[in-house]
Amino acid sequence: MRRTLTVAAAAAALLVSAGPLPVAEAGGAVPVAAGRWGTREAESFWTPERMASARPLPPGPPERRAAAPQDPVAPVPPVDPVAPVDPLDPPDPWAPVPPLPPPDEAGEPGGTGGPDEPVRPVDPGPDATPSPSAAPTAPTPTPAPTPTPVTLPTPVTLPAPAPVRPALPRIPATGPGVGQDFGGLPVVGRMFLVKGGGSYFCTASVVASPGRNLIISAAHCLTGADTQQVAFVPQYTRAKPRPFGMFPVLRTAAGRSKIWIDQRYRTQGVNRAAALDVAFAQVGPGPKGFRVQDVVGGNRLVTGAGYAHARATLIGHPSAAARPRLCVNRTTKYTSTDSRIPGSFLRIACTGYPGGTSGGPFLLRLDGRTGTGDVVGVIGGWKTGGDKPDVSYSSYFGADIRKLYEKAVAGAKAP
């Protein structure tokens, strides 16, 4: 298996109208050691040295253990069976993507439709970071009313301002399907955790929600009763290991991490339930007391968008690489012929995505101004993301994933 060797043993959105769906349960939060686990404890435990020494969870087979090539990246053609799209002019990863046509009743006209439902952007709440494609026409601005002066009887201590995001890194132009190490995006980072006494990491990203406190990753990264000390570090690089601080995955009073995974994934395992390899987790405030989405923004969750997209951006943290990796290519539908791993998945050819990239987002309409887009997948699913470093997979984001998101939103309401 590619992204990890399996550990054996194991509100807001609209519902579809085609009858009741199987309930996607959180399955109980992952039990961890009792005691406080806040930002201070997380930053004390996850020192820069420990983060740098963490390994992908757990190391993959021999051909996946090597780290991704460092800069500069030699052009490597995408591998079959997924052919690259025609060269773009220019091949700018930040160029906007035109809206995809809606699917017809057959599901995938021209290879772009969804299999079972219309495209449903999940409503993250009235104050969520908007997607650049969500509002094609801007409303006429209304002049702000003249504020009424207020005399305060006593001085008021205001909260510290949110960190100012640095300019987004410039991405060198590369051909479709060619991975490129880069400085990262604030909305994507490494998710560190302890399992079986070892220090590991996967990739995770912020997903917009009413509580502004949710991240999304692969379920296979977070299963297991021994998963502990989980923390998210936005835009991690070895040179700047905590550019926005650390956001701990919160625990309940009983000491269980607040993680939502479909119960069928826990009971059936990573192969039989590969189509449900998605997890949401609630993170606490960062070192200055701000919620993660307020600090770095959030990607909008979109379900029912289909499998085939002309232009998707894949971001992940490969193995021992010092920086994250970005690639742009088209996605296609892959239906497994292995009865042990049933289901259909998104597939993309992108070079240099070994272990550690599990949980990395598939993004549509990535906005170069905000560094956010629409998340339609995460590296995982078929063979926990694939068995080759140059072809990645994702579970399909349909009604089950939307239902799981709703459950996470309900359980992660801000205090």
Side-chain angles (χ1 to χ4, degrees):
M1 298 186 181
R2 186 193 105 172
R3 292 320 190 279
T4 68
L5 292 177
T6 63
V7 177
L14 298 174
L15 296 178
V16 294
S17 58
L21 296 170
V23 176
E25 297 291 345
V30 177
V32 296
R36 177 174 171 78
W37 180 248
T39 304
R40 180 176 300 178
E41 290 77 15
E43 291 192 338
S44 177
F45 181 85
W46 289 110
T47 63
E49 295 75 21
R50 179 169 277 156
M51 286 190 287
S53 65
R55 298 169 290 167
L57 172 68
E63 69 272 15
R64 302 293 278 175
R65 288 178 183 168
Q70 298 301 305
D71 299 332
V73 177
V76 180
V79 300
D80 291 332
V82 185
V85 295
D86 293 334
L88 305 175
D89 185 21
D92 180 7
W94 304 107
V97 178
L100 296 170
D104 64 9
E105 294 182 357
E108 288 191 291
T112 59
D116 56 1
E117 58 179 318
V119 177
R120 294 180 185 272
V122 177
D123 181 8
D127 59 347
T129 303
S131 168
S133 61
T137 58
T140 303
T142 303
T146 303
T148 303
V150 177
T151 302
L152 299 176
T154 57
V156 175
T157 302
L158 299 177
V164 177
R165 300 180 203 169
L168 296 175
R170 181 64 181 171
I171 311 301
T174 61
V178 179
Q180 173 67 59
D181 289 352
F182 77 124
L185 296 177
V187 77
V188 183
R190 279 194 182 187
M191 180 178 65
F192 293 94
L193 56 114
V194 170
K195 185 186 289 285
S199 298
Y200 299 105
F201 72 89
C202 282
T203 302
S205 57
V206 182
V207 59
S209 68
R212 309 179 74 81
N213 56 2
L214 287 181
I215 60 173
I216 185 172
S217 188
H220 70 262
C221 291
L222 291 167
T223 54
D226 57 345
T227 303
Q228 304 180 41
Q229 278 81 30
V230 188
F232 174 65
V233 182
Q235 201 174 357
Y236 170 91
T237 64
R238 191 169 301 164
K240 295 181 179 179
R242 294 179 189 167
F244 300 98
M246 186 170 288
F247 297 81
V249 170
L250 294 181
R251 298 176 181 177
T252 65
R256 300 164 70 88
S257 294
K258 302 190 73 173
I259 295 167
W260 289 267
I261 296 173
D262 194 297
Q263 179 62 19
R264 291 167 291 178
Y265 192 85
R266 296 182 184 277
T267 58
Q268 298 176 22
V270 299
N271 287 330
R272 291 297 302 171
L276 300 169
D277 192 0
V278 180
F280 296 95
Q282 180 184 356
V283 296
K288 294 185 178 180
F290 293 99
R291 296 172 294 184
V292 66
Q293 189 177 327
D294 293 327
V295 177
V296 301
N299 296 313
R300 185 179 64 161
L301 180 71
V302 174
T303 63
Y307 297 89
H309 304 289
R311 190 182 182 87
T313 301
L314 188 67
I315 301 175
H317 283 263
S319 297
R323 303 196 297 165
R325 194 165 183 82
L326 177 145
C327 173
V328 177
N329 208 348
R330 69 184 178 101
T331 65
T332 59
K333 181 178 182 178
Y334 173 76
T335 299
S336 173
T337 58
D338 188 339
S339 61
R340 298 168 301 176
I341 314 175
S344 295
F345 307 88
L346 277 72
R347 177 174 60 181
I348 188 170
C350 277
T351 59
Y353 283 76
T357 57
S358 284
F362 286 59
L363 298 175
L364 303 182
R365 293 171 280 274
L366 181 58
D367 189 333
R369 296 174 295 103
T370 65
T372 62
D374 296 341
V375 57
V376 295
V378 294
I379 295 177
W382 190 76
K383 293 190 176 180
T384 59
D387 54 2
K388 297 178 181 179
D390 297 335
V391 181
S392 298
Y393 299 80
S394 169
S395 302
Y396 178 71
F397 280 19
D400 288 328
I401 304 306
R402 185 173 66 255
K403 201 172 185 72
L404 184 66
Y405 169 82
E406 293 168 2
K407 199 169 190 67
V409 166
K413 291 180 179 178

mmCIF file of all heavy atoms in Angstrom, residues 122-131 207-212 293-294 297-301 372 405:
data_model
loop_
_atom_site.group_PDB
_atom_site.id
_atom_site.type_symbol
_atom_site.label_atom_id
_atom_site.label_comp_id
_atom_site.label_asym_id
_atom_site.label_seq_id
_atom_site.Cartn_x
_atom_site.Cartn_y
_atom_site.Cartn_z
ATOM 1 N N VAL A 122 -21.051 22.568 0.232
ATOM 2 C CA VAL A 122 -21.556 22.522 1.596
ATOM 3 C C VAL A 122 -21.470 23.897 2.213
ATOM 4 O O VAL A 122 -20.416 24.536 2.192
ATOM 5 C CB VAL A 122 -20.758 21.500 2.427
ATOM 6 C CG1 VAL A 122 -21.226 21.506 3.863
ATOM 7 C CG2 VAL A 122 -20.921 20.106 1.823
ATOM 8 N N ASP A 123 -22.589 24.357 2.743
ATOM 9 C CA ASP A 123 -22.649 25.691 3.330
ATOM 10 C C ASP A 123 -21.898 25.694 4.646
ATOM 11 O O ASP A 123 -22.331 25.069 5.607
ATOM 12 C CB ASP A 123 -24.107 26.065 3.558
ATOM 13 C CG ASP A 123 -24.248 27.460 4.143
ATOM 14 O OD1 ASP A 123 -23.235 28.159 4.226
ATOM 15 O OD2 ASP A 123 -25.373 27.831 4.509
ATOM 16 N N PRO A 124 -20.751 26.362 4.713
ATOM 17 C CA PRO A 124 -19.979 26.378 5.960
ATOM 18 C C PRO A 124 -20.429 27.418 6.960
ATOM 19 O O PRO A 124 -19.829 27.560 8.008
ATOM 20 C CB PRO A 124 -18.566 26.677 5.470
ATOM 21 C CG PRO A 124 -18.784 27.551 4.284
ATOM 22 C CD PRO A 124 -20.067 27.069 3.638
ATOM 23 N N GLY A 125 -21.461 28.190 6.642
ATOM 24 C CA GLY A 125 -21.933 29.196 7.584
ATOM 25 C C GLY A 125 -21.836 30.591 7.007
ATOM 26 O O GLY A 125 -21.134 30.827 6.021
ATOM 27 N N PRO A 126 -22.502 31.533 7.606
ATOM 28 C CA PRO A 126 -22.562 32.890 7.047
ATOM 29 C C PRO A 126 -21.253 33.640 7.070
ATOM 30 O O PRO A 126 -21.064 34.562 6.307
ATOM 31 C CB PRO A 126 -23.609 33.587 7.940
ATOM 32 C CG PRO A 126 -23.568 32.828 9.232
ATOM 33 C CD PRO A 126 -23.297 31.398 8.844
ATOM 34 N N ASP A 127 -20.293 33.223 7.943
ATOM 35 C CA ASP A 127 -19.044 33.989 8.040
ATOM 36 C C ASP A 127 -17.857 33.228 7.496
ATOM 37 O O ASP A 127 -16.721 33.596 7.739
ATOM 38 C CB ASP A 127 -18.762 34.386 9.493
ATOM 39 C CG ASP A 127 -18.642 33.161 10.399
ATOM 40 O OD1 ASP A 127 -19.013 32.055 9.952
ATOM 41 O OD2 ASP A 127 -18.179 33.341 11.538
ATOM 42 N N ALA A 128 -18.127 32.187 6.740
ATOM 43 C CA ALA A 128 -17.022 31.383 6.213
ATOM 44 C C ALA A 128 -16.340 32.107 5.073
ATOM 45 O O ALA A 128 -16.909 32.984 4.422
ATOM 46 C CB ALA A 128 -17.534 30.031 5.746
ATOM 47 N N THR A 129 -15.091 31.719 4.812
ATOM 48 C CA THR A 129 -14.329 32.285 3.708
ATOM 49 C C THR A 129 -15.006 31.938 2.400
ATOM 50 O O THR A 129 -15.207 30.765 2.102
ATOM 51 C CB THR A 129 -12.897 31.732 3.701
ATOM 52 O OG1 THR A 129 -12.303 32.019 4.957
ATOM 53 C CG2 THR A 129 -12.084 32.358 2.578
ATOM 54 N N PRO A 130 -15.397 32.895 1.571
ATOM 55 C CA PRO A 130 -16.130 32.576 0.351
ATOM 56 C C PRO A 130 -15.216 31.976 -0.699
ATOM 57 O O PRO A 130 -14.034 32.263 -0.753
ATOM 58 C CB PRO A 130 -16.668 33.941 -0.098
ATOM 59 C CG PRO A 130 -15.678 34.924 0.431
ATOM 60 C CD PRO A 130 -15.209 34.331 1.753
ATOM 61 N N SER A 131 -15.795 31.105 -1.527
ATOM 62 C CA SER A 131 -15.072 30.572 -2.676
ATOM 63 C C SER A 131 -15.127 31.585 -3.788
ATOM 64 O O SER A 131 -16.146 32.246 -3.991
ATOM 65 C CB SER A 131 -15.700 29.255 -3.130
ATOM 66 O OG SER A 131 -15.185 28.891 -4.381
ATOM 67 N N VAL A 207 -10.970 23.086 6.441
ATOM 68 C CA VAL A 207 -12.206 23.097 5.669
ATOM 69 C C VAL A 207 -13.157 24.092 6.332
ATOM 70 O O VAL A 207 -13.301 24.116 7.555
ATOM 71 C CB VAL A 207 -12.831 21.686 5.598
ATOM 72 C CG1 VAL A 207 -13.150 21.131 6.974
ATOM 73 C CG2 VAL A 207 -14.074 21.690 4.721
ATOM 74 N N ALA A 208 -13.749 24.963 5.529
ATOM 75 C CA ALA A 208 -14.612 26.011 6.064
ATOM 76 C C ALA A 208 -15.801 25.402 6.794
ATOM 77 O O ALA A 208 -16.418 24.439 6.330
ATOM 78 C CB ALA A 208 -15.103 26.918 4.933
ATOM 79 N N SER A 209 -16.122 25.957 7.954
ATOM 80 C CA SER A 209 -17.218 25.458 8.780
ATOM 81 C C SER A 209 -17.751 26.602 9.631
ATOM 82 O O SER A 209 -17.066 27.605 9.835
ATOM 83 C CB SER A 209 -16.736 24.322 9.685
ATOM 84 O OG SER A 209 -15.829 24.804 10.663
ATOM 85 N N PRO A 210 -18.982 26.461 10.151
ATOM 86 C CA PRO A 210 -19.532 27.533 11.005
ATOM 87 C C PRO A 210 -18.668 27.816 12.229
ATOM 88 O O PRO A 210 -18.529 28.967 12.642
ATOM 89 C CB PRO A 210 -20.908 26.983 11.399
ATOM 90 C CG PRO A 210 -21.271 26.033 10.314
ATOM 91 C CD PRO A 210 -19.975 25.404 9.891
ATOM 92 N N GLY A 211 -18.086 26.779 12.832
ATOM 93 C CA GLY A 211 -17.239 26.983 13.997
ATOM 94 C C GLY A 211 -15.837 27.422 13.669
ATOM 95 O O GLY A 211 -15.066 27.773 14.571
ATOM 96 N N ARG A 212 -15.469 27.393 12.355
ATOM 97 C CA ARG A 212 -14.165 27.851 11.884
ATOM 98 C C ARG A 212 -13.029 27.099 12.585
ATOM 99 O O ARG A 212 -11.976 27.663 12.866
ATOM 100 C CB ARG A 212 -14.024 29.369 12.074
ATOM 101 C CG ARG A 212 -15.196 30.155 11.505
ATOM 102 C CD ARG A 212 -15.071 31.639 11.713
ATOM 103 N NE ARG A 212 -14.077 32.237 10.819
ATOM 104 C CZ ARG A 212 -14.300 32.560 9.547
ATOM 105 N NH1 ARG A 212 -15.472 32.296 8.989
ATOM 106 N NH2 ARG A 212 -13.360 33.094 8.809
ATOM 107 N N GLN A 293 -9.418 28.844 11.132
ATOM 108 C CA GLN A 293 -9.940 29.424 9.894
ATOM 109 C C GLN A 293 -9.824 30.938 9.889
ATOM 110 O O GLN A 293 -9.671 31.549 8.837
ATOM 111 C CB GLN A 293 -11.395 28.995 9.690
ATOM 112 C CG GLN A 293 -11.962 29.361 8.320
ATOM 113 C CD GLN A 293 -13.379 28.863 8.143
ATOM 114 O OE1 GLN A 293 -13.752 27.820 8.659
ATOM 115 N NE2 GLN A 293 -14.191 29.625 7.416
ATOM 116 N N ASP A 294 -9.884 31.554 11.063
ATOM 117 C CA ASP A 294 -9.679 33.002 11.138
ATOM 118 C C ASP A 294 -8.245 33.374 10.811
ATOM 119 O O ASP A 294 -7.971 34.480 10.349
ATOM 120 C CB ASP A 294 -10.040 33.515 12.529
ATOM 121 C CG ASP A 294 -11.522 33.386 12.841
ATOM 122 O OD1 ASP A 294 -12.330 33.518 11.898
ATOM 123 O OD2 ASP A 294 -11.865 33.139 14.001
ATOM 124 N N GLY A 297 -7.661 30.912 6.811
ATOM 125 C CA GLY A 297 -8.705 30.702 5.820
ATOM 126 C C GLY A 297 -9.143 29.243 5.784
ATOM 127 O O GLY A 297 -8.666 28.408 6.559
ATOM 128 N N GLY A 298 -10.052 28.926 4.866
ATOM 129 C CA GLY A 298 -10.551 27.560 4.763
ATOM 130 C C GLY A 298 -11.034 27.256 3.364
ATOM 131 O O GLY A 298 -11.577 28.125 2.665
ATOM 132 N N ASN A 299 -10.835 25.999 2.923
ATOM 133 C CA ASN A 299 -11.360 25.556 1.645
ATOM 134 C C ASN A 299 -12.824 25.167 1.794
ATOM 135 O O ASN A 299 -13.222 24.595 2.806
ATOM 136 C CB ASN A 299 -10.571 24.338 1.139
ATOM 137 C CG ASN A 299 -9.121 24.666 0.863
ATOM 138 O OD1 ASN A 299 -8.825 25.672 0.227
ATOM 139 N ND2 ASN A 299 -8.219 23.816 1.326
ATOM 140 N N ARG A 300 -13.618 25.436 0.765
ATOM 141 C CA ARG A 300 -15.021 25.071 0.805
ATOM 142 C C ARG A 300 -15.182 23.604 0.407
ATOM 143 O O ARG A 300 -14.639 23.167 -0.607
ATOM 144 C CB ARG A 300 -15.837 25.948 -0.146
ATOM 145 C CG ARG A 300 -17.343 25.701 -0.060
ATOM 146 C CD ARG A 300 -18.119 26.598 -0.997
ATOM 147 N NE ARG A 300 -17.808 26.316 -2.390
ATOM 148 C CZ ARG A 300 -18.594 26.685 -3.405
ATOM 149 N NH1 ARG A 300 -19.702 27.358 -3.159
ATOM 150 N NH2 ARG A 300 -18.260 26.406 -4.640
ATOM 151 N N LEU A 301 -15.929 22.848 1.212
ATOM 152 C CA LEU A 301 -16.205 21.455 0.886
ATOM 153 C C LEU A 301 -17.285 21.388 -0.185
ATOM 154 O O LEU A 301 -18.345 21.991 -0.052
ATOM 155 C CB LEU A 301 -16.665 20.699 2.134
ATOM 156 C CG LEU A 301 -16.980 19.220 1.939
ATOM 157 C CD1 LEU A 301 -15.708 18.430 1.717
ATOM 158 C CD2 LEU A 301 -17.738 18.672 3.153
ATOM 159 N N THR A 372 -7.083 29.673 -1.282
ATOM 160 C CA THR A 372 -8.093 28.677 -0.951
ATOM 161 C C THR A 372 -8.863 28.284 -2.202
ATOM 162 O O THR A 372 -8.826 28.980 -3.220
ATOM 163 C CB THR A 372 -9.083 29.194 0.107
ATOM 164 O OG1 THR A 372 -9.778 30.335 -0.422
ATOM 165 C CG2 THR A 372 -8.358 29.589 1.381
ATOM 166 N N TYR A 405 -19.497 15.302 7.351
ATOM 167 C CA TYR A 405 -19.157 16.707 7.612
ATOM 168 C C TYR A 405 -20.212 17.355 8.513
ATOM 169 O O TYR A 405 -19.879 18.078 9.467
ATOM 170 C CB TYR A 405 -19.041 17.453 6.292
ATOM 171 C CG TYR A 405 -18.958 18.962 6.416
ATOM 172 C CD1 TYR A 405 -17.752 19.593 6.696
ATOM 173 C CD2 TYR A 405 -20.096 19.755 6.256
ATOM 174 C CE1 TYR A 405 -17.685 20.982 6.813
ATOM 175 C CE2 TYR A 405 -20.041 21.133 6.361
ATOM 176 C CZ TYR A 405 -18.830 21.742 6.642
ATOM 177 O OH TYR A 405 -18.770 23.108 6.755
#
